[in-house]
Amino acid sequence: MKKNVLVAFILLLFMGTNFTSFAQDSMVKGTGMTVDKIVAEKLKEERNKQNVLEFFQLLMGDHDYEAAEKYMGEYIQHDTRVVGNGMPPLKELLTTSPQFKNRPKGIKFKPAYILADGDFVYMQNRKKLPGKKVLIQHTF
């Protein structure tokens, strides 16, 4: 489905037209999905992006591991420097590794690019160090 067609459908839904009753039962050609399912998937992706931003800020910027852990669910670690899953091994890396342990609290992260495809989120961000005016770009 072309992006402009999806945008038109979403605009019609949010503009309060009576298009919703038609769209609920209509399959979007070539997708095998109804408009409602497509909209629900896009809303889920937006929530996933927001969750990643909040998690990353808590974890890397605020050093609030307890609050960040609430976003983790059944967190599976893919970084070879971390042995084990969940917050305890990740917290150990962030508090003992020379690469991370001396990072200041209060770093602010802003997304340069953030993309979602279902439950997969890619983020490239910029960070602002406390007391600095310059943003430094990082990819995670």
Side-chain angles (χ1 to χ4, degrees):
M1 174 179 211
K2 293 187 178 187
K3 185 178 178 181
N4 58 347
V5 174
L6 177 60
V7 170
F9 274 71
I10 291 171
L11 286 174
L12 287 170
L13 291 172
F14 285 105
M15 288 172 46
T17 65
N18 198 10
F19 184 74
T20 305
S21 61
F22 169 76
Q24 287 174 343
D25 297 325
S26 298
M27 297 296 281
V28 177
K29 187 177 180 180
T31 66
M33 296 175 68
T34 64
V35 171
D36 286 346
K37 286 183 181 179
I38 292 172
V39 170
E41 182 67 23
K42 293 300 171 191
L43 291 173
K44 177 183 174 187
E45 289 175 351
E46 290 303 314
R47 279 192 311 273
N48 287 344
K49 289 193 283 188
Q50 188 61 39
N51 287 340
V52 165
L53 288 170
E54 290 171 12
F55 169 75
F56 198 79
Q57 180 61 50
L58 288 167
L59 185 70
M60 299 301 287
D62 302 338
H63 306 203
D64 190 344
Y65 305 112
E66 187 176 309
E69 190 170 14
K70 295 175 185 175
Y71 287 90
M72 293 179 89
E74 293 185 33
Y75 180 78
I76 299 172
Q77 182 56 253
H78 300 301
D79 189 333
T80 57
R81 297 172 293 183
V82 180
V83 179
N85 298 323
M87 181 56 79
L90 181 58
K91 180 180 177 183
E92 183 178 334
L93 171 76
L94 295 175
T95 56
T96 62
S97 169
Q99 180 182 359
F100 297 109
K101 73 178 182 180
N102 295 324
R103 71 191 192 287
K105 266 190 177 180
I107 298 170
K108 297 297 179 198
F109 292 92
K110 297 189 183 242
Y113 302 100
I114 186 163
L115 306 168
D117 184 11
D119 289 334
F120 296 97
V121 177
Y122 167 82
M123 179 175 66
Q124 183 179 45
N125 64 40
R126 294 182 176 105
K127 71 179 180 179
K128 183 178 181 287
L129 298 171
K132 305 284 183 179
K133 294 182 180 181
V134 178
L135 292 175
I136 303 166
Q137 190 160 309
H138 289 276
T139 303
F140 298 97

